């Protein structure tokens, strides 16, 4: 199996409460939190991928 067929690790946010989870993104673009088969702690099962990374969030310039 090459990397294009592999599930990808990402960060996902719950659509209802905003809780963040380490997640797997599948080839069909669905997201599933790692270790939370039943979804979020609030009961929601819909997630969105968090874009960007920590290194992009700050440029270190506080003018």
């Amino acid at each position: 199996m090459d990397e294009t067929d592999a599930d990808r690790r990402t960060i996902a946010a719950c659509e209802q409460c905003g809780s963040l989870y380490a997640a797997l993104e599948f080839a069909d673009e669905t997201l599933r939190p790692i270790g939370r088969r039943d979804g979020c702690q609030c009961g929601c099962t819909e997630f969105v991928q968090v874009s960007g990374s920590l290194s992009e969030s700050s440029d270190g310039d506080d003018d």
Side-chain angles (χ1 to χ4, degrees):
M1 175 189 321
D2 66 15
E3 286 186 39
T4 58
D5 293 335
D7 301 331
R8 191 170 74 97
R9 290 179 185 240
T10 189
I11 303 295
C14 172
E15 286 189 348
Q16 187 169 356
C17 73
S19 292
L20 298 175
Y21 294 94
L24 292 175
E25 179 182 17
F26 297 98
D28 64 359
E29 298 185 6
T30 58
L31 298 168
R32 187 183 77 207
I34 296 171
R36 303 252 352 156
R37 288 186 182 179
D38 296 329
C40 182
Q41 61 189 357
C42 74
C44 183
T45 57
E46 299 296 321
F47 297 88
V48 294
Q49 185 174 5
V50 176
S51 61
S53 69
L54 294 176
S55 62
E56 294 174 356
S57 64
S58 176
D59 62 4
D61 203 9
D62 295 335
D63 289 337

